[in-house]
Amino acid sequence: MLSLPIDVADAIVAALKAEPLKLDAVRAYRPEFDLAELKTLRVSVVPRGIEITSLGRNVNQHDVSVDVGVQQKIDPDDTEALDALMAKVQRIADELRLRRLDLPGDGSAAWVKTENEPIYSPDHLQSKQVFTSVLTFTYRVMR
């Protein structure tokens, strides 16, 4: 076991790489790419935070947040391509919703919520011609 946020992020990477999504997802600390690297779809998984609440003498609730970034260089006027990227973001959200993640050892993490606000970055699309959407997933671990 590394750290709980890293374990949860790695489990999300594994879920994104598996059927049915089969995405080339990577865990990163700094998901920064040159525009040339964004010609192909980039899916970055970044641990975001952890909130720990005591539930009793020997049990704590760990709510771990992880960002999943979806980026690709695109013509901002290509509505069909933008719609396809928005659909891919929705498929990622749907696939991870209600999913229990297996963690190293005997642990697991239960899905709590998904946030996607804003659903894409208008600034990135206008200034860099890059579609950027970030989903924030929160998973709960009891230990």
Side-chain angles (χ1 to χ4, degrees):
M1 179 187 320
L2 294 169
S3 78
L4 190 54
I6 291 171
D7 289 341
V8 171
D10 285 344
I12 289 174
V13 168
L16 294 172
K17 287 184 172 188
E19 293 283 348
L21 294 172
K22 295 176 73 173
L23 295 170
D24 186 21
V26 296
R27 180 170 57 85
Y29 284 99
R30 293 178 15 153
E32 297 175 7
F33 304 101
D34 293 329
L35 289 178
E37 294 175 292
L38 291 172
K39 287 182 181 176
T40 59
L41 182 70
R42 298 290 180 176
V43 179
S44 306
V45 179
V46 180
R48 178 183 179 98
I50 186 168
E51 182 178 316
I52 303 169
T53 306
S54 176
L55 296 180
R57 185 179 241 177
N58 296 319
V59 179
N60 291 313
Q61 172 180 299
H62 303 254
D63 287 348
V64 179
S65 298
V66 175
D67 287 341
V68 175
V70 177
Q71 293 183 291
Q72 187 169 2
K73 185 164 174 42
I74 192 166
D75 176 354
D77 295 322
D78 188 345
T79 303
E80 284 185 38
L82 288 165
D83 288 350
L85 287 167
M86 291 291 290
K88 188 170 295 285
V89 169
Q90 184 63 54
R91 281 193 301 275
I92 292 169
D94 290 345
E95 183 61 29
L96 293 179
R97 185 176 60 84
L98 302 179
R99 177 184 280 250
R100 183 169 288 280
L101 301 174
D102 292 326
L103 300 178
D106 292 331
S108 67
W111 175 84
V112 174
K113 68 179 178 175
T114 302
E115 299 171 74
N116 188 209
E117 179 67 34
I119 56 174
Y120 74 97
S121 171
D123 292 341
H124 281 197
L125 194 56
Q126 180 178 348
S127 65
K128 300 177 183 179
Q129 296 186 336
V130 172
F131 173 86
T132 301
S133 182
V134 178
L135 293 153
T136 301
F137 294 96
T138 301
Y139 281 86
R140 183 165 290 155
V141 178
M142 308 301 266
R143 64 177 192 177

